[in-house]
Amino acid sequence: MYIEDLKFSLWADFIERDYLDNEFKELIDKGIINGATSNPAIFKNAILHSDAYLKQLEELHELSAKEKYEKVAIYDIRKAADILKPLYERGDDGYVSIEVDPFLCDDAAATVSEGKRLFETINRPNVMIKVPATEAGYEAMQELTASGIPVNATLIFKKEQAIACAEAFERGGERNGSNPDTVISIFVSRVDRALDELLKMNDIEVGLTGIYNSADIYNEIESMQVQNCRALFASTGVKDDSLPAHYYIEKLLAYNSVNTAPVDTIMAFHENGVKEKALPIAQKIITEHFDKLKDAEIELDIVLDKLIEDGLLAFKDAFQEILEAL
């Protein structure tokens, strides 16, 4: 772990074949990262913009677009899992995540079927199956964890989503008896990007809503004490030049948590960030900030619902672009 005393981990939110053979190994050897995450957008950028995939894709020309995608993605996920395996074997995370087809987000049975198939095909114990936090997703999370499969619940913007994920993991773990490792991925910076211009117009401090929303969700997850379940902070790259590159890692450094971020963001934190616990934030401070939004007639729930919808659409669009290109 990056900070052992806090059980705090840094995972790289990036997968690309040449990177796995080089910088990925270096970051692990230096103790900077101990896991990795992927999503359809990450694979889209890797597959469509890197020459490292050309040879394999030529050999797969007779397969369907989705079959090609899976062959390529599975190769990379296996490679990452094998590189991370020594960490996994000594209990230092060592997980890599792969997301199910985002077009299945409202079909629980299909999500379970694909999640199980991917896990069995990859055939590595340190792979997490990533499932969007929808109504169907909660059902799938329970079934997958009941089958002993580690799960990364993704696209969490609201406390209600996190509670539903944690409850699904708890039920699945009770059925399985072994409680596989799970994470609840809370999206951070997108909240600020959606709100900051509006906050400026109302003289409300910017760059805080994503932090406070995430801190509120973290408090809830920790209070539920679901075995082997942790909060993971995602979407922690900075898009606002007025903030330090490592802002969303430093401000959300918390006990028993993971932060997954782009490699540049991780290196900025490693080199310049304050390595001190920033959470929990007192509920009074969080509530006071949310009250300012209410006083300005800013409906946070509506904004968060839109972000969930947009996030699902972005994953679907990225996945569709891969399929069309292949």
Side-chain angles (χ1 to χ4, degrees):
M1 294 186 174
Y2 189 78
I3 303 178
E4 187 69 38
D5 291 347
L6 292 178
K7 297 184 180 178
F8 171 73
S9 295
L10 282 174
W11 293 0
D13 194 29
F14 184 63
I15 294 283
E16 191 275 330
R17 197 159 295 177
D18 287 338
Y19 157 79
L20 292 176
D21 285 326
N22 297 289
E23 188 179 3
F24 185 59
K25 293 177 179 177
E26 294 173 13
L27 291 169
I28 293 168
D29 290 343
K30 291 176 180 177
I32 296 172
I33 63 170
N34 62 332
T37 51
S38 71
N39 61 45
I42 287 171
F43 270 118
K44 183 195 85 170
N45 289 329
I47 294 168
L48 301 187
H49 298 109
S50 170
D51 292 340
Y53 299 90
L54 295 177
K55 186 175 185 296
Q56 186 184 10
L57 287 171
E58 286 173 6
E59 296 168 353
L60 302 174
H61 67 276
E62 293 183 356
L63 300 182
S64 70
K66 185 170 179 179
E67 288 171 332
K68 288 178 188 176
Y69 164 75
E70 285 194 358
K71 290 283 188 184
V72 168
I74 286 169
Y75 182 97
D76 281 4
I77 295 295
R78 274 189 186 141
K79 181 186 279 283
D82 288 343
I83 295 167
L84 288 162
K85 190 177 179 183
L87 279 68
Y88 172 78
E89 289 179 337
R90 64 174 182 255
D92 185 13
D93 291 355
Y95 281 104
V96 58
S97 298
I98 183 170
E99 189 161 338
V100 294
D101 181 338
F103 287 100
L104 304 178
C105 65
D106 295 317
D107 188 332
T111 297
V112 171
S113 177
E114 175 149 313
K116 287 182 176 179
R117 179 176 58 79
L118 285 172
F119 189 74
E120 290 164 5
T121 303
I122 296 167
N123 195 27
R124 301 294 189 273
N126 54 326
V127 168
M128 282 188 162
I129 300 299
K130 212 171 185 184
V131 178
T134 63
E135 289 300 322
Y138 306 138
E139 185 179 335
M141 291 172 201
Q142 178 178 329
E143 292 301 317
L144 291 170
T145 51
S147 299
I149 297 174
V151 174
N152 178 338
T154 189
L155 278 177
I156 285 84
F157 287 92
K158 301 179 75 171
K159 190 190 297 187
E160 294 82 0
Q161 286 178 291
I163 292 169
C165 292
E167 289 174 344
F169 291 151
E170 189 167 45
R171 290 192 298 268
E174 287 171 354
R175 285 169 53 192
N176 174 265
S178 67
N179 294 95
D181 287 335
T182 56
V183 292
I184 297 175
S185 293
I186 308 157
F187 280 51
V188 187
S189 66
R190 294 185 194 186
V191 177
D192 288 334
R193 292 206 298 274
L195 281 171
D196 277 356
E197 287 305 314
L198 190 56
L199 298 186
K200 286 176 186 176
M201 292 166 56
N202 286 276
D203 294 321
I204 299 172
E205 190 174 356
V206 301
L208 287 178
T209 310
I211 298 290
Y212 289 151
N213 185 59
S214 301
D216 193 30
I217 296 170
Y218 167 81
N219 290 347
E220 189 67 37
I221 293 169
E222 282 294 285
S223 73
M224 293 180 74
Q225 295 187 315
V226 176
Q227 190 174 352
N228 298 333
C229 176
R230 289 178 289 170
L232 179 152
F233 300 107
S235 178
T236 51
V238 169
K239 297 293 189 289
D240 183 345
D241 291 339
S242 68
L243 298 172
H246 54 273
Y247 178 76
Y248 289 108
I249 299 181
E250 182 177 288
K251 296 299 183 184
L252 290 167
L253 208 162
Y255 174 78
N256 194 40
S257 72
V258 181
N259 198 306
T260 188
V263 174
D264 288 349
T265 304
I266 288 171
M267 292 311 299
F269 173 73
H270 179 65
E271 293 166 4
N272 303 306
V274 175
K275 317 299 191 297
E276 295 177 1
K277 189 170 71 165
L279 301 188
I281 295 171
Q283 200 63 43
K284 180 176 182 288
I285 294 172
I286 295 171
T287 302
E288 285 175 354
H289 181 78
F290 289 164
D291 285 345
K292 290 178 185 177
L293 270 61
K294 288 178 186 174
D295 292 344
E297 298 184 346
I298 297 169
E299 298 286 347
L300 182 59
D301 267 358
I302 293 174
V303 173
L304 297 178
D305 285 338
K306 181 69 163 53
L307 287 169
I308 295 166
E309 181 183 332
D310 290 348
L312 285 168
L313 184 60
F315 282 162
K316 289 175 183 178
D317 286 348
F319 198 74
Q320 187 62 37
E321 284 182 45
I322 296 172
L323 298 184
E324 289 174 0
L326 295 179

